[in-house]
Amino acid sequence: MRTNRLAGRVVWLVGRASLHAQRLLHRRFAEHDLRKQHYAVLRSLADVGSAAQGPLADRVAVDRSDMVALVDELEAAGHVERSPDPDDRRRKIVSITGSGTEVLDELGELVEAADDELLAPLSEAERRTLVELLTRILPPADRGRAP
Amino acid sequence: MRTNRLAGRVVWLVGRASLHAQRLLHRRFAEHDLRKQHYAVLRSLADVGSAAQGPLADRVAVDRSDMVALVDELEAAGHVERSPDPDDRRRKIVSITGSGTEVLDELGELVEAADDELLAPLSEAERRTLVELLTRILPPADRGRAP
DNA sequence: CGGATGTCAGTCTAACTGAGATTT
DNA sequence: CAAATCTCAGTTAGACTGACATCC
């Protein structure tokens, strides 16, 4: 009964595909001692300039509590800075540094390379279709916020 | 620069989609005290009859060492049995029980429901396209072995 | 003997939960 | 006071690694 085959269920397929993609990315990021979450934080900061930790966590779709360690690590590496918000002393404003911008560029190329390797079996049109379909099955909070 | 947007990279999108799918499935499986790996094992056993642990792990795409605990748990729940292979006493043959077959049916419906919820935004044709594209970007070992 | 099999212990990424201190 | 913000400690799922005893 083919509808029971695991290999035909998207909940299964998407998990395997994710693992595969994760491996492609992880290999490349390892030499920088950074993980994809670090990249997502830097990427988001570069888009927005700087942000308080909470909203930043929301943008990256990471739990606020996990963002603490991510920023700790990026700060220790000199890629971001954490400074208290004078308008609201509960908040910490995170901003990207020059070193962060440099690393972001390098990582960006690695992401692109991983994407290319992952998508090698597909044509350009198929890649666009895949991006569109994946985007549509995401919960709104996970979709990009671009116009 | 749109090519740098995280939301457009498949390595990112597929990870978010996988997490979303995982949550949909996990919620439903929780009441059975089973995880999706357990389902995969039962599903594979039902397809094949019975199998030694190693080949079973390969089929399910789980590490052989992790399969040990999975079979332990399924055996404790009475859903599978482990018996020594008389032809090769290193091997343990795992086979599904009546209870396992029952649970498999129930879990199968939950998987179907999760898949439907995940794919709700897509048409039938789009669902088939997504399955096809995801399958094609998987490493061969992860693809279904059906004709 | 070398190699396969199952097992065990431990590490790692990622997500999540619940609690606490500080400030608004 | 209630609520927001950041932090910390602990748990879970899943994948991975290296080692070991047993057996072919």
Side-chain angles (χ1 to χ4, degrees):
Chain A
M1 176 180 315
R2 66 178 305 287
T3 62
N4 272 345
R5 292 202 58 251
L6 217 37
R9 314 239 70 132
V10 175
V11 282
W12 180 258
L13 281 173
V14 82
R16 301 312 303 177
S18 167
L19 177 59
H20 183 210
Q22 169 65 31
R23 286 195 270 233
L24 293 178
L25 210 50
H26 190 264
R27 264 185 237 148
R28 291 174 163 89
F29 274 29
E31 45 190 329
H32 288 270
D33 275 307
L34 292 174
R35 302 186 306 276
K36 70 173 177 184
Q37 322 261 39
H38 296 123
Y39 174 74
V41 170
L42 293 176
R43 181 70 261 156
S44 186
L45 284 177
D47 289 343
V48 162
S50 62
Q53 260 178 240
L56 183 57
D58 293 345
R59 280 179 59 88
V60 177
V62 157
D63 194 277
R64 284 163 125 94
S65 70
D66 295 318
M67 180 58 75
V68 176
L70 285 176
V71 174
D72 282 349
E73 289 151 3
L74 285 170
E75 194 176 30
H79 300 325
V80 305
E81 281 170 356
R82 213 181 330 217
S83 58
D85 182 345
D87 294 346
D88 183 341
R89 303 210 318 278
R90 291 172 302 182
R91 288 202 172 105
K92 309 278 182 71
I93 304 281
V94 184
S95 46
I96 192 167
T97 66
S99 152
T101 308
E102 282 177 31
V103 173
L104 177 58
D105 284 346
E106 299 172 28
L107 295 183
E109 291 176 20
L110 299 185
V111 173
E112 203 170 337
D115 232 46
D116 278 346
E117 185 174 348
L118 178 67
L119 297 177
L122 305 187
S123 71
E124 278 302 324
E126 287 169 333
R127 296 178 190 201
R128 283 191 296 273
T129 302
L130 181 57
V131 168
E132 191 224 322
L133 294 179
L134 284 176
T135 301
R136 280 173 51 204
I137 65 175
L138 289 184
D142 263 338
R143 288 199 275 266
R145 290 141 203 76
Chain B
M1 177 182 316
R2 68 178 303 288
T3 62
N4 273 343
R5 292 203 58 252
L6 218 37
R9 313 240 70 132
V10 174
V11 281
W12 180 258
L13 281 174
V14 83
R16 302 312 302 177
S18 166
L19 178 58
H20 183 211
Q22 170 64 32
R23 287 196 269 233
L24 293 178
L25 210 51
H26 191 262
R27 266 185 235 145
R28 291 173 163 89
F29 274 28
E31 46 190 327
H32 288 270
D33 275 307
L34 292 173
R35 302 187 306 276
K36 70 173 176 184
Q37 321 261 39
H38 296 123
Y39 173 74
V41 171
L42 293 177
R43 180 70 260 155
S44 186
L45 283 178
D47 289 343
V48 161
S50 62
Q53 261 178 238
L56 183 58
D58 294 344
R59 278 180 61 89
V60 177
V62 157
D63 194 278
R64 286 165 123 93
S65 69
D66 295 319
M67 180 58 75
V68 176
L70 285 175
V71 174
D72 282 350
E73 289 151 3
L74 284 170
E75 193 175 30
H79 300 326
V80 305
E81 282 171 356
R82 215 183 323 221
S83 58
D85 182 344
D87 295 344
D88 182 342
R89 302 210 320 279
R90 293 170 301 180
R91 288 202 170 100
K92 310 278 181 72
I93 304 281
V94 184
S95 48
I96 192 167
T97 66
S99 153
T101 309
E102 282 178 30
V103 173
L104 178 58
D105 284 346
E106 300 172 28
L107 296 183
E109 291 176 19
L110 299 184
V111 173
E112 203 171 339
D115 231 47
D116 277 347
E117 185 175 346
L118 178 67
L119 297 178
L122 305 187
S123 72
E124 277 302 324
E126 287 169 333
R127 296 178 190 201
R128 283 191 295 272
T129 303
L130 182 57
V131 168
E132 192 224 320
L133 295 179
L134 284 176
T135 301
R136 279 174 51 202
I137 64 175
L138 288 184
D142 262 338
R143 287 198 275 266
R145 290 144 203 75

